[in-house]
Amino acid sequence: MTNKNRSMTMLILGSTAIASIATINKYIQVSATSKNLLECPRSLCYRWRLGNIHYTKTGNGRPLLLIHDLSAISSGYEWEQLIRPLSEHYTVYTIDLLGCGRSEKPNMTYTNYLYVQSISDFIKSVIGRRTDVAACGSSSALVLMACCSDSELFDQIMLIDPDSLHTCSQVPGKAAKLYKFILDIPILGTLIYHISTSKNAIHQVFSEEYLENPFSAKKAVIDACYEAAHLGESPKSVYASVACNYTKCNIVNALKKIDNSIYLIGSSSVDGMKERLEEYKQYNPAIEISLLKNGKHLPHLEFPNEILDVMKTYLYQ
């Protein structure tokens, strides 16, 4: 075989492989979203300047904004079990952050500043008054930064299993920037993303990190997360931004400045959670903290009644 023929053969094989991967990517996206599990009769749309944001509004009374964890598989669905009981006392808003769940997912780098602005603008434009806020995981830092930026938008703040201050302060290093570059490659990066957000991968995260009982992960919840991870134009963009620390920000100065009432809930099954919450309190002694007897990263999914009891004690004032 001549060098020319060999080159042509490699080109054909390479093109065939790329076409096959593209077909697989398309099939995964279509099959993952075919059940429409996240369709919601209460669905509303906030037309923000960088993309449409999905939200719901339920009940009457003082406003309460529920913000999900910040990951590619997250959405307002994680609060579903608490919306009805909370709506008996509050006007409950749930939001799918830009790039997550049912919200628009433009192909761009998502940053802490972007989310801080979107949360503040949502409260100003949609809620229109001071609001109580409950947030989970990595979104906790976003709420604190937004409150520091404009405290008049916020009343009481409740944060469930917030990231450690060390995790919040991480920045994109060389390895992270390289990984994001690979993820941004249209076909290869999408394949890597689909592997990282497969049903098996999601189930593993729930079993090892999200739930105390590894066997309590409900199929409906896994399926909803799987669908959330594949909806929209570029679902991998928020995954790349979060995984590579573009959404992180040092929140120590914000903690020192905030005068709003803050309540932190930690899950006892998360390693080092008690020390993590105490570290927050060191920078703001007015912060109140409590440690749940049960639960891991998403206790409001696994033990919603316990979370509801704490919310009633703290927020119903």
Side-chain angles (χ1 to χ4, degrees), residues 70-314:
L70 183 57
S71 77
I73 67 174
S74 300
S75 72
Y77 182 88
E78 72 182 44
W79 295 101
E80 197 66 25
Q81 297 180 77
L82 291 174
I83 292 175
R84 186 188 60 77
L86 287 172
S87 66
E88 296 174 0
H89 188 84
Y90 277 98
T91 299
V92 180
Y93 295 83
T94 65
I95 186 174
D96 285 6
L97 296 171
L98 194 71
C100 299
R102 295 150 285 195
S103 290
E104 200 166 349
K105 300 178 180 180
N107 183 9
M108 63 183 183
T109 299
Y110 294 79
T111 64
N112 178 280
Y113 179 76
L114 178 150
Y115 285 119
V116 167
Q117 287 297 304
S118 66
I119 292 170
S120 297
D121 290 347
F122 181 84
I123 296 174
K124 289 177 186 176
S125 302
V126 177
I127 299 178
R129 55 180 288 196
R130 286 179 68 124
T131 182
D132 291 344
V133 178
C136 171
S138 297
S139 293
S140 301
L142 309 178
V143 172
L144 291 175
M145 292 300 293
C147 182
C148 181
S149 177
D150 193 344
S151 61
E152 293 303 311
L153 298 175
F154 298 82
D155 200 349
Q156 301 175 104
I157 296 174
M158 174 175 283
L159 306 177
I160 301 173
D161 287 350
D163 286 343
S164 69
L165 296 182
H166 171 71
T167 298
C168 291
S169 64
Q170 292 177 341
V171 297
K174 291 183 179 179
K177 290 178 180 178
L178 175 60
Y179 185 46
K180 188 174 185 303
F181 173 80
I182 295 172
L183 287 169
D184 286 341
I185 297 173
I187 296 176
L188 176 61
T190 302
L191 179 63
I192 294 173
Y193 171 73
H194 285 160
I195 294 171
S196 300
T197 55
S198 67
K199 277 192 180 181
N200 286 338
I202 293 172
H203 195 281
Q204 183 176 358
V205 169
F206 268 80
S207 298
E208 296 179 358
E209 299 177 27
Y210 284 3
L211 305 180
E212 183 177 45
N213 181 355
F215 303 105
S216 65
K218 298 179 181 178
K219 183 178 183 301
V221 174
I222 300 296
D223 287 346
C225 290
Y226 184 57
E227 181 176 301
H230 293 85
L231 288 170
E233 173 195 349
S234 183
K236 69 176 181 179
S237 293
V238 74
Y239 171 83
S241 299
V242 172
C244 299
N245 298 325
Y246 286 88
T247 58
K248 301 291 195 299
C249 182
N250 191 318
I251 62 172
V252 169
N253 288 332
L255 274 176
K256 294 177 180 178
K257 294 178 181 178
I258 293 175
D259 289 329
N260 299 63
S261 179
I262 301 175
Y263 195 95
L264 304 184
I265 303 175
S267 298
S268 58
S269 296
V270 177
D271 291 340
M273 178 55 70
K274 182 178 180 181
E275 291 76 17
R276 183 187 306 183
L277 301 186
E278 290 291 350
E279 189 176 19
Y280 275 74
K281 194 173 177 66
Q282 287 178 14
Y283 291 101
N284 189 328
I287 289 176
E288 298 179 71
I289 62 176
S290 68
L291 208 60
L292 297 173
K293 294 180 180 178
N294 302 309
K296 270 194 174 181
H297 187 62
L298 296 180
H300 45 299
L301 265 179
E302 191 173 15
F303 304 103
N305 290 333
E306 290 189 26
I307 293 295
L308 182 62
D309 288 342
V310 176
M311 295 181 82
K312 285 181 179 179
T313 301
Y314 174 66

Side-chain angles (χ1 to χ4, degrees), residues 24-74:
I24 293 171
N25 286 338
K26 185 64 177 178
Y27 172 78
I28 291 173
Q29 183 176 27
V30 171
S31 62
T33 58
S34 61
K35 295 181 180 179
N36 296 318
L37 298 172
L38 295 180
E39 278 195 359
C40 177
R42 308 187 306 273
S43 181
L44 298 168
C45 178
Y46 168 46
R47 300 188 182 281
W48 194 48
R49 53 191 171 84
L50 293 181
N52 295 334
I53 294 176
H54 164 92
Y55 73 97
T56 67
K57 179 182 177 182
T58 311
N60 296 288
R62 290 166 48 204
L64 170 63
L65 175 59
L66 304 178
I67 303 178
H68 59 79
D69 190 17
L70 183 57
S71 77
I73 67 174
S74 300

